[in-house]
Amino acid sequence: MAEKISEEIKKKMGKLVKELNYHNYRYYVLDSPVISDEEYDKLYRHLKELEDKYNYILPDSPTQRIGAPPLEKFEKVKHTEPMLSLDNAFSHDEVKEFDRRIKRLLDTEGEIEYTVEPKYDGLAIELTYRGGFLFRASTRGDGYEGEDVTQNIKTIKSVPLKIEGGSIPDEIDIRGEVYMDLDEFEKLNRQREKNGEPLFANPRNAAAGSVRQLDPSITISRKLYLACYGIGTVKGMNFRSQSELIKWLKESRFPTPAKVEIAKGINKVIDAIKEFEEKRGDFSFETDGAVVKVDDFGLQQKLGVKTREPRWAIAYKFQAHQGTTRIKEIHGSVGRTGVITPFAVFEPVRIGGVTVSRSTLHNWDEIERKDIRVGDTVVVERAGDVIPHVIMVIKEKRTGKEKKFPIPEKCPVCGSKVAREEGEVAVRCVSLHCPAQVQEKIIHFASRGGMDIEGLGEKNVELLYSRGLIKHFEDIYRLKKEDLLELPRFAEKSAQNLIEAIEKSKHAILAKFLFAIGIQHAGEYAAKLLAKNFKRLEDLYKVTPERIMSIKQMGEKIASSISAFFNDQKNIDVLNSMIKLGLKITNPDFISEKKGEMSLEGLTFVITGTLPKARNEVEDLIEANGGHASSAISASTSYLVVGEEPGSKLDKAKTLGVKTISYDELIKMIEKKTKNPGLFD
Ligand code: IVH
């Protein structure tokens, strides 16, 4: 049994309710709370205890926002004044035409005062207050009759349960829009996705779906907002204009549109509209236009209403950025780095004044996640100048004939096998020959970290590629000076330099070469690891992922990529033709089975005179066995290899105290210690 309540307690409860409602307003309408959540909760609990104890509840008590039981169905509500819709204007000219019409109808040449507000993309509702208290909330419905959603609307914290302030009408129908913030909308959709529930196509649907819930506990779990911008029937009070109404709404603690501009004359209106459109992205909510209203209610009255729209207002629609269309085809396009990106071809649809007939689908995970199929009807968005993308599939429109689009097994450009690593979103063409990638690959190949071909940078690669001089990777080694001289950017000297740089690069170190050919995931470090473990380039041909994985530090991802590369016959052909064109690869990094037994490890050699083998080859041999071949002699040189007719280096070696050996002695040094006889086996 409830205790009998004293006047004093009633007063105390009244004060608590007032206080809580004020803090509620600070928090939800002004977005500037003055107490902490804990303090609020404490006050709230105190009130709730008193309510339970005395079984006395004030109609505007915040406890009345929650706890209503689910409904069987919504009751119908007739609006005492119809809730109208708005005429649209799609251009500034149409807005100007709207102004001319108004002037004609009012038979005036004077400038009209307008208000400009954002058009909220939500659900229109009417709040009926009687004696200052929220009596009922209803949806717009068909404009004449809506549904009673009072229990749900009460859960929206920014909706005043009581009108505060100095002037309170006996009865008033306040109209506004319930909406969901964009952040909240995305959060909700992410959650729904996790739960396997269908996604909302846009914030408007999310807001409408949340309000039209028979169970208010669902509505309360959705963060909804309200913006009040109009009135229906009013008794016991008079408003002279829209701007006066907005002022009163604010004073009475109603949330109003984020911005209300007062503009005298249509040019000012256009300025305001432009600003709204520019700042559109700054709003936390979705807005698809600006609503222009004749400010003066007397003039509004004179202008009257057409069938369903007032003559005194117009909605200027921003460039629409969503449209619905059907996916005709899905294809993959190959980027320069070999990534294959799926894209959709649509039945052309006009979005924001532009015909959209294709859009990227980003990646294959995205296709799967959104379950996009060929033949699907989809919502496509084009925000500002951003490229269009598919927001969602309208699954209700499926006929059963839609086809899934599998991840391609072959590159759509060159037909080579594609690779997709575990846990990677990207699907790649790993072919060296793929035209889509050739330029980028060549630039990398020639770069300093790679083959270091001076003069073969981005610009020249583009030029050579566009002239058809390098179509494939190995074409670098086919370039002739005469070819270069035909090009605008080359003169005798520069052509000669480039050819020489290319020649020089033909003597390559395996680690550098492996990095230069740009195998996906194989950076400098991985290339070095490979070189340490595989003596010759050819040893990598047809390598299995398992073999790569047997190398410490090599993971699954990189192993599959390396293996895919060396199992692609086209790649092998490219490598072989490079070798045929004169590429010579040595591998000083190779560590023979008996680790640490590289015969020439840590030694530096300089050659002088004529040896039985070409100097290059001997240098390669030295490097292949762990030594370092240098052209300049110094005190740190370990050995001078002396051939016939030695030069001045021999004298220098003597003065520096550098040991001298013959070619035969060098070979003996190598054979003595290692089972890796180098290049001459
Ligand atoms: S005024 C008769 N002001 O747009 C005037 N409406 O397309 C009608 N809307 O049903 C209401 N923001 O749901 C007005 N600032 C705003 C609005 C707004 C959104 C909605 C409203 C209306 C619809 C008409």
Side-chain angles (χ1 to χ4, degrees):
M1 266 304 273
E3 276 184 48
K4 201 168 166 352
I5 187 166
S6 66
E7 281 311 305
E8 202 181 323
I9 300 286
K10 274 190 189 169
K11 239 192 191 157
K12 188 177 177 181
M13 288 174 77
K15 212 176 136 233
L16 269 174
V17 167
K18 239 189 156 84
E19 223 179 321
L20 283 160
N21 283 342
Y22 174 70
H23 291 307
N24 207 52
Y25 162 69
R26 297 282 322 196
Y27 191 98
Y28 290 101
V29 179
L30 300 184
D31 195 18
S32 86
V34 283
I35 60 167
S36 69
D37 291 359
E38 291 76 34
E39 283 170 295
Y40 181 93
D41 290 344
K42 214 171 128 190
L43 290 173
Y44 185 96
R45 275 198 308 274
H46 189 185
L47 174 66
K48 186 82 177 85
E49 275 163 26
L50 293 174
E51 285 180 351
D52 290 345
K53 188 167 170 190
Y54 297 106
N55 198 16
Y56 174 80
I57 300 164
L58 286 157
D60 57 335
S61 165
T63 62
Q64 296 313 289
R65 291 189 186 274
I66 53 167
L71 299 171
E72 287 288 319
K73 66 176 182 57
F74 293 117
E75 294 299 325
K76 296 274 182 227
V77 176
K78 276 208 162 61
H79 303 297
T80 44
E81 288 230 14
M83 288 179 81
L84 302 169
S85 57
L86 289 166
D87 219 354
N88 291 321
F90 293 99
S91 66
H92 295 168
D93 277 349
E94 284 179 35
V95 176
K96 285 182 185 156
E97 177 51 37
F98 161 76
D99 178 60
R100 277 195 291 274
R101 204 164 50 233
I102 283 170
K103 283 180 175 162
R104 211 168 44 237
L105 289 167
L106 294 174
D107 197 17
T108 178
E109 296 202 335
E111 299 281 39
I112 309 284
E113 272 201 68
Y114 295 99
T115 58
V116 185
E117 309 161 5
K119 187 171 190 297
Y120 282 79
D121 204 11
L123 177 74
I125 54 142
E126 178 168 79
L127 305 170
T128 302
Y129 287 84
R130 287 189 182 165
F133 289 96
L134 178 64
F135 166 72
R136 189 172 55 206
S138 50
T139 60
R140 176 173 179 273
D142 62 5
Y144 301 97
E145 191 177 76
E147 288 171 329
D148 186 333
V149 287
T150 314
Q151 302 294 14
N152 293 343
I153 293 300
K154 273 187 174 175
T155 68
I156 302 171
K157 302 284 194 352
S158 57
V159 173
L161 297 177
K162 179 174 178 249
I163 300 175
E164 295 289 340
S167 40
I168 298 170
D170 303 332
E171 192 172 323
I172 187 167
D173 288 337
I174 293 170
R175 282 145 184 206
E177 201 89 350
V178 170
Y179 64 95
M180 188 178 279
D181 258 7
L182 285 164
D183 281 354
E184 190 62 25
F185 166 69
E186 266 157 34
K187 223 162 90 188
L188 175 64
N189 259 357
R190 275 201 301 275
Q191 188 58 46
R192 289 174 74 83
E193 195 184 330
K194 256 196 210 156
N195 301 346
E197 294 163 321
L199 305 191
F200 289 115
N202 48 48
R204 174 164 36 88
N205 289 4
S210 304
V211 169
R212 299 193 64 260
Q213 286 286 341
L214 289 166
D215 182 357
S217 71
I218 296 177
T219 314
I220 203 171
S221 72
R222 312 267 171 85
K223 226 164 136 195
L224 297 171
Y225 291 88
L226 172 72
C228 297
Y229 47 65
I231 40 172
T233 304
V234 185
K235 286 180 189 161
M237 211 172 143
N238 238 325
F239 295 101
R240 273 174 307 184
S241 65
Q242 176 72 4
S243 46
E244 194 183 283
L245 169 68
I246 297 285
K247 191 162 161 270
W248 176 83
L249 284 168
K250 275 191 181 158
E251 284 165 5
S252 311
R253 297 191 188 165
F254 283 88
T256 52
K259 213 167 161 48
V260 180
E261 289 284 341
I262 300 171
K264 189 163 183 171
I266 205 65
N267 290 331
K268 292 257 166 58
V269 168
I270 304 280
D271 289 346
I273 282 174
K274 280 187 191 154
E275 203 189 324
F276 273 53
E277 185 150 18
E278 271 166 30
K279 301 227 170 102
R280 175 184 190 183
D282 297 349
F283 292 124
S284 60
F285 51 87
E286 173 84 358
T287 166
D288 59 347
V291 183
V292 182
K293 298 172 185 171
V294 170
D295 189 41
D296 190 297
F297 281 174
L299 294 182
Q300 286 190 5
Q301 191 88 42
K302 271 194 196 159
L303 289 161
V305 173
K306 288 188 281 187
T307 17
R308 311 224 36 192
E309 301 108 13
R311 288 197 189 88
W312 45 263
I314 201 158
Y316 168 76
K317 292 302 252 320
F318 299 150
Q319 298 275 296
H321 57 199
Q322 279 198 351
T324 303
T325 186
R326 211 180 62 89
I327 296 182
K328 289 201 297 190
E329 294 155 30
I330 295 177
H331 298 283
S333 80
V334 188
R336 278 191 180 189
T337 53
V339 176
I340 303 171
T341 307
F343 68 93
V345 179
F346 307 129
E347 276 165 6
V349 57
R350 276 185 82 74
I351 304 175
V354 175
T355 303
V356 174
S357 53
R358 59 161 63 198
S359 108
T360 175
L361 297 174
H362 302 289
N363 58 59
W364 308 93
D365 273 8
E366 179 96 344
I367 293 188
E368 237 162 72
R369 197 167 60 79
K370 291 185 176 160
D371 189 17
I372 297 170
R373 303 178 190 181
V374 177
D376 264 338
T377 303
V378 290
V379 178
V380 180
E381 183 174 81
R382 205 186 132 258
D385 50 3
V386 179
I387 44 166
H389 62 275
V390 172
I391 302 281
M392 68 179 299
V393 173
I394 305 177
K395 296 208 173 124
E396 292 75 21
K397 295 249 168 110
R398 280 203 174 143
T399 61
K401 285 190 185 143
E402 294 73 16
K403 281 201 184 74
K404 285 204 179 203
F405 190 72
I407 295 173
E409 283 172 9
K410 285 182 176 169
C411 169
V413 174
C414 70
S416 297
K417 248 173 67 184
V418 306
R420 187 188 201 190
E421 297 86 24
E422 274 298 308
E424 275 277 297
V425 182
V427 173
R428 283 173 205 275
C429 169
V430 292
S431 166
L432 277 182
H433 252 302
C434 182
Q437 306 167 58
V438 170
Q439 278 193 61
E440 188 72 10
K441 290 217 178 260
I442 292 169
I443 292 165
H444 174 78
F445 183 78
S447 70
R448 187 150 310 147
M451 304 296 271
D452 196 13
I453 306 175
E454 216 182 307
L456 203 53
E458 203 172 319
K459 286 245 158 62
N460 280 344
V461 170
E462 268 166 25
L463 178 66
L464 294 167
Y465 191 85
S466 68
R467 297 296 173 111
L469 286 173
I470 359 186
K471 283 203 206 75
H472 305 300
F473 220 51
E474 71 275 23
D475 290 342
I476 296 174
Y477 295 126
R478 292 199 176 99
L479 279 177
K480 293 192 184 70
K481 195 167 146 191
E482 305 85 78
D483 300 332
L484 297 179
L485 285 171
E486 310 250 309
L487 302 176
R489 215 179 285 138
F490 286 92
E492 174 66 32
K493 182 97 177 90
S494 49
Q496 180 63 33
N497 286 348
L498 180 54
I499 295 294
E500 276 174 19
I502 291 170
E503 269 313 300
K504 207 175 101 201
S505 79
K506 283 184 179 170
H507 292 276
I509 303 274
L510 184 60
K512 288 242 172 209
F513 180 78
L514 289 173
F515 171 67
I517 53 177
I519 303 167
Q520 183 59 27
H521 301 307
E524 274 171 293
Y525 181 66
K528 195 105 180 167
L529 276 180
L530 284 180
K532 279 186 175 166
N533 286 277
F534 293 85
K535 196 167 100 194
R536 300 171 315 159
L537 179 66
E538 292 87 333
D539 297 341
L540 277 156
Y541 292 2
K542 303 273 184 286
V543 71
T544 62
E546 292 72 30
R547 170 69 184 92
I548 305 287
M549 295 251 284
S550 71
I551 302 169
K552 232 172 90 189
Q553 293 146 304
M554 288 282 201
E556 204 174 322
K557 195 159 113 177
I558 188 166
S560 107
S561 160
I562 291 167
S563 169
F565 182 92
F566 286 107
N567 278 280
D568 185 324
Q569 191 50 47
K570 280 189 182 152
N571 287 347
I572 304 291
D573 292 345
V574 173
L575 298 178
N576 285 339
S577 50
M578 284 174 131
I579 291 167
K580 249 193 215 137
L581 287 163
L583 176 73
K584 281 209 165 56
I585 301 174
T586 52
N587 185 9
D589 297 293
F590 181 69
I591 299 171
S592 64
E593 307 89 286
K594 292 195 179 163
K595 218 178 157 203
E597 293 211 350
M598 285 282 276
S599 51
L600 307 183
E601 229 167 58
L603 301 176
T604 304
F605 296 83
V606 176
I607 299 165
T608 184
T610 311
L611 302 179
K613 297 264 179 191
R615 188 172 289 203
N616 278 340
E617 289 182 25
V618 180
E619 282 175 354
D620 289 347
L621 177 66
I622 292 167
E623 300 258 330
N625 286 283
H628 176 65
S630 169
S631 56
I633 190 160
S634 74
S636 60
T637 305
S638 318
Y639 294 98
L640 179 70
V641 186
V642 185
E644 284 175 23
E645 295 176 43
S648 61
K649 282 178 192 157
L650 183 58
D651 301 330
K652 207 163 177 197
K654 281 179 182 155
T655 40
L656 288 169
V658 172
K659 285 179 229 161
T660 58
I661 51 169
S662 68
Y663 174 75
D664 290 343
E665 280 171 311
L666 174 70
I667 298 298
K668 270 189 198 132
M669 270 177 90
I670 292 167
E671 286 175 347
K672 205 169 92 189
K673 255 190 137 186
T674 186
K675 284 183 179 157
N676 171 24
L679 297 177
F680 304 146
D681 57 347

